[in-house]
Amino acid sequence: MSFGSIAEDYDELRPQAPQQAVDWLVPAGCEVAVDVGAGTGLFTRTLVGRVAQVIAVEPDARMRKVLTARSPGVRVVEGRGESIPLPDAVADAVFVSSAWHWMDHQRAVPEIGRVLRYGGRLGLVWTSRDRAVPWVRDLDLLPGQDTSGAESAERIRRRLDFDLPEPQIFHNIARETFRFVRTMTVDYVVAMLGTYSRAIVASPDHRAQGLAQARDALEARFPGADVIDIPMRAWCWRADRMR
């Protein structure tokens, strides 16, 4: 729930999933899609126009306020992955964008299965900087940390290798990653780094020092540049609801 304190910045600065990832995740013939842990609606809005009905489920009122204001035509409800306020078998697809690691999977998986129709799609995506690139990974460092303390690409990759709880209600599991580049000013990159939970919950001094370190590293690597290209990646996982 820490993200609600920076809801406006989160929506402005965080990356959206690239179109290739959305195409890979959304099943053919999808009429009703639910975005759970929708935040400010970054992934929600990628569904608008390609799915007849989009429903966003988000627990934080501050995030829902931004979501509602910036996502016309989307039904917005209070809820979470472990408790989705929708009827049984209402959705053709349920998506979770950059929030699956915050959920209790033992409770969320059967709850998502409940609201999905048979054959419906569960799709997960994490969209962030490509931490397989060393200089990008080092931007995560807080004061006093070494490189091993930064969140690694391997750690994020392992998020896709989880085991679903028994009894199994999903099959046809697939994984894919999509790389892309986001062109940004140094100021914009530094501001984006401040929207991640490690920075939000850090002490004010550590947060300021960490962001200053990131700025110094970027300006040293790209001296005098007006904008820079930040390598990004979307890690995707999908599966279909069994009968």
Side-chain angles (χ1 to χ4, degrees):
M1 300 291 282
S2 62
F3 296 108
S5 65
I6 56 147
E8 294 278 351
D9 288 342
Y10 188 103
D11 193 70
E12 179 183 354
L13 297 166
R14 284 292 192 101
Q16 281 190 317
Q19 192 60 52
Q20 312 98 289
V22 181
D23 291 342
W24 187 85
L25 287 165
V26 177
C30 183
E31 294 292 327
V32 179
V34 180
D35 185 10
V36 178
T40 60
L42 288 170
F43 188 80
T44 308
R45 293 195 289 275
T46 70
L47 302 171
V48 174
R50 66 181 301 159
V51 176
Q53 184 180 9
V54 182
I55 305 169
V57 180
E58 166 58 37
D60 192 308
R62 299 163 296 180
M63 301 291 266
R64 289 198 309 274
K65 182 179 179 180
V66 176
L67 196 165
T68 301
R70 300 186 182 179
S71 309
V74 172
R75 177 185 171 193
V76 181
V77 297
E78 180 181 3
R80 59 186 68 233
E82 301 84 355
S83 180
I84 303 172
L86 297 174
D88 294 355
V90 71
D92 299 302
V94 171
F95 299 106
V96 181
S97 175
S98 297
W100 184 246
H101 53 292
W102 298 113
M103 296 181 186
D104 178 346
H105 300 168
Q106 294 290 329
R107 296 169 57 202
V109 169
E111 179 67 350
I112 290 169
R114 179 186 66 78
V115 303
L116 274 173
R117 299 177 180 133
Y118 292 135
R121 169 72 49 80
L122 169 58
L124 313 178
V125 57
W126 289 264
T127 306
S128 188
R129 304 173 308 289
D130 189 350
R131 296 174 178 89
V133 179
W135 69 265
V136 175
R137 182 172 62 249
D138 290 350
L139 296 177
D140 285 331
L141 292 174
L142 289 174
Q145 283 186 327
D146 58 20
T147 303
S148 62
E151 188 171 31
S152 68
E154 175 63 17
R155 178 180 170 186
I156 294 180
R157 187 195 63 77
R158 288 199 302 269
R159 289 179 179 172
L160 303 182
D161 291 335
F162 57 87
D163 293 322
L164 292 170
E166 298 291 340
Q168 292 295 323
I169 61 172
F170 289 98
H171 64 165
N172 299 333
I173 294 172
R175 301 170 177 84
E176 189 60 87
T177 60
F178 299 89
R179 288 181 171 86
F180 62 106
V181 169
R182 198 174 182 207
T183 302
M184 311 165 71
T185 65
V186 170
D187 286 347
Y188 207 88
V189 176
V190 173
M192 178 186 69
L193 295 171
T195 68
Y196 287 84
S197 57
R198 297 172 69 254
I200 298 170
V201 303
S203 70
D205 285 347
H206 273 193
R207 182 176 186 274
Q209 291 174 45
L211 296 181
Q213 284 180 183
R215 179 183 296 278
D216 290 344
L218 289 168
E219 290 177 345
R221 185 174 185 87
F222 304 99
D226 293 329
V227 295
I228 57 178
D229 289 339
I230 301 296
M232 310 290 287
R233 191 187 296 196
W235 290 261
C236 302
W237 181 101
R238 71 185 186 193
D240 299 325
R241 177 72 162 94
M242 298 166 61
R243 181 169 292 278

